[in-house]
């Protein structure tokens, strides 16, 4: 009976491994050609309706096999990308990815370890990557760290440790109920929305996050910060944390991190730095002074899938105080007891430092990428992107039809098309339409934001494929599209003259 | 000047794409051979000290190139896996991965979209995958959903929506401070630690999570639950949520989900189901009755990287009430305003439904895997694993030296080696040492837990490569190792006789 059962048992492995190898080779060829030729294609095009319809097909009950599935991928998925691997994609703050980063994700998924802990190599790889990250950013080596899904999670980790450490009661056990003073934290109005999301998630309430005005350079107004803290203390709150921005999402502004570190020390507050992309400026000796003070942060959040150009998802949270970090998250039920020897041995249990218990091998692409290129190369490319931002700002300032809307301290340029005949409301609508047409043209993909009430075309350069001539083309196209819109009846009707 | 600058610009793309293609082919061949031959190797072996030393090398400043980096991977990383791709790995609850799942992660990393929103194909793929997940588990199609890093995050998403929806005030804005009653939630003592972690993170405090005793089958004791809720109401608390387990981590027990749904409805409480692996039993018509009532959950958390055998990381959170889900997370600052047309158009913005703003293309491996194999195949493999658990339980019961420690309702078997001469404390130590030696032998990798104070060898079968004869070998080895330990001086000294 038993032998019979064995022969009937099934698995998800292929019947013919050689066919799977051949398919894998085709995938490698197709994807590398796709990357090699990306410049020849549109940055982005709308997803056609027939493609959308294809993704409404019902749940497949029967197998269609690997070959057929890959054909569906080639026909329906691959041709309709977001565009962020293209040299002229500069929307939001989105990385580009690299060929070896792509292949590393395959290796990671093939080994498929759970990097939550236990004694196996992936934990040593991640541990080394964290040491490297600390070295890269001149952060203390005794700090603890964790690779996470991205900046949102890295901010959440840092702020959780801040909340639990600064609470004057056992917050993990008793909850916020045990607080007799409202715990408040501080950051500029330019702080990324993920900080607000984290504050809400942590049960502190969005109102606990005091958004302090910025100066003309979009840096946090320090006197205003200090008076807000003092007012809150008088009002019976417990100011417990300040968030410094190393590269705001709107304009790339960097707060005065040295000053924030001093204020936090004086006020007995946790100093968290959101350096999602800007922290990486620290790799460049030329740019490092911009983020001076970052190394004094109690916790530091940044992404490797943005300005280190790695494929999604990989961000990093570093915490200066290992014990505080562990105490905020560690939890060891019977079924997770660590052992002295065997598979459940090993000293590294990353699940004690964050939300995830099961964790993938995102460390591998970081490890391989840093070895492939060396850190100096990343520093050079970051400098190149900053240089391109300055170049674009210069082109904008030189163009009569364009207006720069904010300083360009790093890699983000906010500007708009202007024409004398329009009032500001109309200019906002014109630029909004202009951006959509630019997207639809497939030529370039900036995103947008609002700067002092002005609709801004926003170019954020975290792209290793961009070249100076790409920005020249962008400027030409914006001017051309803007002038086309001058003839658009919608906007003509509404001009003040 | 401009031309000169263009030629000096660098990128991270390879100088020779053909060399990268060749390297990619070798990687595909190596990894597929690695998977094809996995049965011939040890499940696990300790990481050698010289390998650990290698991972203490300093930050690479200079490029070492893709080839050399891959050689380091082959030499230092690949030979020291966790072991969970092996047919005899049954530790914790860890999936196996598949060849096409591995290749799909490469395709995803090559396209490298940010699946936070905007109008591009990856959002349609994830949307379809979520529809399929709902169909698979007979969950209402109008529910909202999100692919997440895993069960911990899926539980966090569900409990966040529960907390914010059931709060009788604006919790996002005002925080838990605004509560005049302690918000309490309920689950059995067998509930996974990630629920406690979520409760702590949400600021409710671990003490808000009332752990209700279980009956002899490790299911939540319903009368005890009801009296705890009543006592809390009398004590001025607001019972707001109950967590039902569809497959506990210790024994695979499934709470009476129908009864929990009724109690939640009557008590105006949110019903969350943690179905990390057990929810997938719903795929099988034979096993579906075990999880009856799951489809009534207000939120449902489960993993695809466990009992759907997909590579890390992919879990799923489903929420019955789309608006409640969105209201718990949506946050749209200027730089994320959605547009009518263009790249920032599109109706699907997954970032409005969870913690992450940047999100990788984890949907692709799910989409390709389900198409490759069809859902019926997954149902068959899940049944096969349950059948193997029953078979192992039978082998244990037939062996004089072995003792089954808990019922086997699903895919988890807890047992131990026994010998008359030992008291219970010694048995615990013997079995602990036995498990370590079993790991070190490389023959099989169960994990462990504590069942009613007894150290248990714990076999959790979410492995598509396991066969019946693997469990026969396990039983043989446990008996052999146990008998070897009978002669171990450490344990002889401490026997009662």
């Amino acid at each position: 009976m038993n032998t019979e059962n064995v022969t009937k048992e099934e698995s998800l492995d292929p019947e013919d491994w050689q066919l799977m190898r051949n398919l894998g080779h085709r995938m490698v060829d197709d994807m590398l050609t796709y990357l090699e030729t990306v410049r020849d294609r549109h940055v982005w095009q709308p997803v056609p309706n027939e493609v959308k319809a294809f993704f409404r097909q019902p749940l497949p009950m029967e197998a269609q096999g690997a070959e057929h599935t890959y054909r569906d991928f080639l026909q329906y998925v691959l041709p309709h990308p977001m565009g962020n691997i293209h040299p002229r994609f500069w929307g939001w703050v989105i990385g580009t990815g690299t060929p070896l980063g792509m292949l590393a994700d395959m290796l990671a998924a093939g080994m498929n370890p759970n990097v939550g802990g236990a004694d196996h190599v992936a934990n040593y790889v991640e541990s080394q990557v964290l040491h490297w990250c600390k070295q890269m950013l001149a952060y203390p080596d005794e700090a603890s760290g964790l690779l996470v899904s991205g900046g949102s999670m890295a901010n959440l980790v840092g702020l959780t440790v801040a909340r639990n450490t600064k609470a004057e009661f056992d917050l993990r056990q008793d909850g916020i109920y045990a607080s007799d003073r409202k715990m408040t934290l501080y950051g500029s109005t330019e702080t990324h929305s993920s900080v607000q999301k984290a504050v809400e998630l942590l049960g502190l309430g969005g109102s606990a996050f005091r958004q302090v005005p910025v100066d003309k350079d979009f840096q946090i107004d320090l006197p205003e910060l200090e008076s807000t803290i003092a007012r809150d203390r008088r009002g019976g709150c417990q100011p417990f944390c300040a968030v410094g921005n190393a590269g705001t999402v709107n304009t790339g502004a960097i707060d005065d991190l040295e000053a924030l570190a001093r204020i936090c020390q004086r006020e007995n507050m946790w100093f968290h730095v959101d350096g999602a992309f800007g922290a990486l400026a620290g790799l460049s000796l030329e740019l490092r002074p911009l983020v001076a003070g970052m190394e004094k942060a109690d916790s530091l959040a940044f992404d490797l899938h943005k300005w280190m150009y790695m494929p999604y998802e990989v961000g990093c949270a570093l915490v200066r105080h290992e014990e505080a970090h562990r105490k905020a998250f560690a939890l060891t039920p019977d079924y997770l007891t660590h052992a002295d020897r065997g598979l459940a041995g090993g000293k590294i249990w990353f699940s004690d430092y964050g939300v995830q218990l099961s964790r993938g091998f995102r460390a591998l692409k970081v490890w391989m990428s840093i070895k492939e290129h060396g850190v100096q190369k990343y520093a050079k490319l970051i400098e190149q992107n900053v240089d391109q931002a300055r170049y674009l700002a210069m082109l904008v300032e030189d163009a009569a039809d364009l207006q720069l809307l904010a300083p360009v301290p790093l890699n983000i340029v906010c500007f708009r098309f202007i024409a004398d005949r329009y009032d500001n409301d109309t200019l906002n609508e014109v630029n909004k339409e202009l951006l959509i047409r630019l997207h639809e043209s497939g030529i370039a993909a900036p995103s947008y934001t609002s700067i002092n009430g002005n609709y801004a075309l926003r170019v954020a350069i975290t792209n290793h494929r961009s070249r100076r001539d790409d920005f020249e083309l962008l400027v030409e196209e914006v001017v051309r599209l803007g002038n086309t819109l001058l003839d658009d009846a919608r906007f003509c009707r509404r001009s003040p003259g």
Side-chain angles (χ1 to χ4, degrees), chain A residues 32-82:
Chain A
L32 287 173
T33 300
Y34 184 77
L35 295 178
E36 186 179 6
T37 58
V38 61
R39 180 174 282 282
D40 308 334
R41 293 190 298 274
H42 286 126
V43 177
W44 173 86
Q45 289 287 271
V47 179
N49 282 333
E50 61 272 25
V51 172
K52 292 180 188 172
F54 178 77
F55 292 103
R56 289 192 288 270
Q57 291 191 347
L59 177 66
M61 299 308 292
E62 305 289 339
Q64 72 175 46
E67 284 279 344
H68 184 169
T69 299
Y70 182 56
R71 281 205 303 278
D72 285 346
F73 169 83
L74 286 179
Q75 185 170 356
Y76 295 102
V77 181
L78 191 61
H80 310 289
M82 182 178 214

Side-chain angles (χ1 to χ4, degrees), chain A residues 179-200:
Chain A
S179 174
D180 52 1
R181 292 187 294 163
K182 186 171 172 113
M183 294 178 75
T184 47
L185 70 166
Y186 304 81
S188 85
T189 48
E190 295 290 300
T191 306
H192 191 262
S193 60
S194 61
V195 168
Q196 186 184 332
K197 210 176 230 191
V199 170
E200 292 172 353

